[in-house]
Structures are given as structure tokens and as C-alpha cells.
Amino acid sequence: WQEAAALLAEMEEAQVRKDTSSYNCMMSVCGRASIADRAVALLSGMRAENVHPDVVTYNSCISTCERTGRWDAALLLFHEMTSVDVLPNTITYNTTMSALGKAMQWELVFELLDRMVEQTVQVDTLTCNS
């Protein structure tokens, strides 16, 4: 992940504009390294640079939080994305519910499941296993 962070810094030094795709790549690296705080910081950095996160960005960040036991951060990110008009998809719901389930936050899991059905987001096998 440090090499990816160095590449992002080099882009900055060379005054290459970072876009959503470059941030998404870095988010993915943070996810594989299980570095939730860095992923959340990258998301904040995107907004500061007026780069708009998309559903892939949020899914990567939520997934990293899920892997590291940060269910509270995963839930905050879920609510944040809906407040900035990024629509959660099946992956978003499944990952957030998995984070909540691992923390035994069952009431919140069922609230999200209800919301998922209300929003007509496709429920799949992973949803039922979350």
C-alpha cells in the first residue's frame, strides 16, 4: 500500500489531476491491506480535492471497514453516500450488513434489509447470509 500511496503523491507533485479511478485504485489497495483509517482519509481527501466518489469508492471503503471490524464507520459511510446522492447497490447493502452482523448489531441489519427491499435493490444469496 505504501507504493500506491507514493504513486498518488508523485501524481500530486507532477500536478497530475487525480480522478475517481485513481482514488478507487488506492481504496482497493487499502482494502487488501486492511487499513480502514487510510481508506476513510482518502475519501475525505477526495472531497477536499473536489473529486466525486462513486458507488465503487464507497463500496471499497465500506468493505475495508467490514474487514477490520469497524461496523460503526461502515454504517456512517453508508448513510453518507446516500446523503450525497450516491445510490447504494446490492454490494453496498451486503457489505454493510455483513459488518453489522459480525458486530451482532441485528436490529440495524434488519433495518437495512427493510430499506433494501423498499428501495427495490436486488436481494441475493449473500444478502441472506449477511
Side-chain angles (χ1 to χ4, degrees):
W1 80 270
Q2 293 170 338
E3 290 175 18
L7 181 59
L8 213 56
E10 284 179 35
M11 288 176 70
E12 206 167 286
E13 283 179 27
Q15 296 182 340
V16 174
R17 178 159 164 68
K18 295 173 280 191
D19 62 7
T20 303
S21 294
S22 55
Y23 274 102
N24 286 350
C25 287
M26 187 61 189
M27 288 277 186
S28 178
V29 170
C30 288
R32 280 186 242 129
S34 296
I35 308 170
D37 292 338
R38 180 71 176 141
V40 172
L42 280 169
L43 186 58
S44 295
M46 286 180 79
R47 289 188 298 264
E49 293 184 29
N50 204 27
V51 178
H52 301 287
D54 59 14
V55 69
V56 174
T57 311
Y58 279 100
N59 285 348
S60 293
C61 202
I62 290 170
S63 177
T64 302
C65 292
E66 185 263 346
R67 277 191 225 126
T68 58
R70 299 280 315 277
W71 68 269
D72 52 337
L75 187 59
L76 282 172
L77 289 165
F78 177 89
H79 289 302
E80 176 186 306
M81 73 185 289
T82 58
S83 72
V84 295
D85 296 325
V86 177
L87 296 177
N89 60 19
T90 303
I91 295 167
T92 314
Y93 277 97
N94 288 350
T95 308
T96 307
M97 287 189 291
S98 176
L100 294 169
K102 287 178 180 180
M104 303 177 87
Q105 300 294 318
W106 304 119
E107 189 173 318
L108 294 171
V109 170
F110 288 116
E111 284 177 22
L112 276 186
L113 182 59
D114 287 343
R115 182 174 178 172
M116 186 177 188
V117 171
E118 285 172 13
Q119 299 294 317
T120 64
V121 176
Q122 183 178 350
V123 174
D124 63 12
T125 305
L126 289 175
T127 308
C128 297
N129 289 333
S130 294

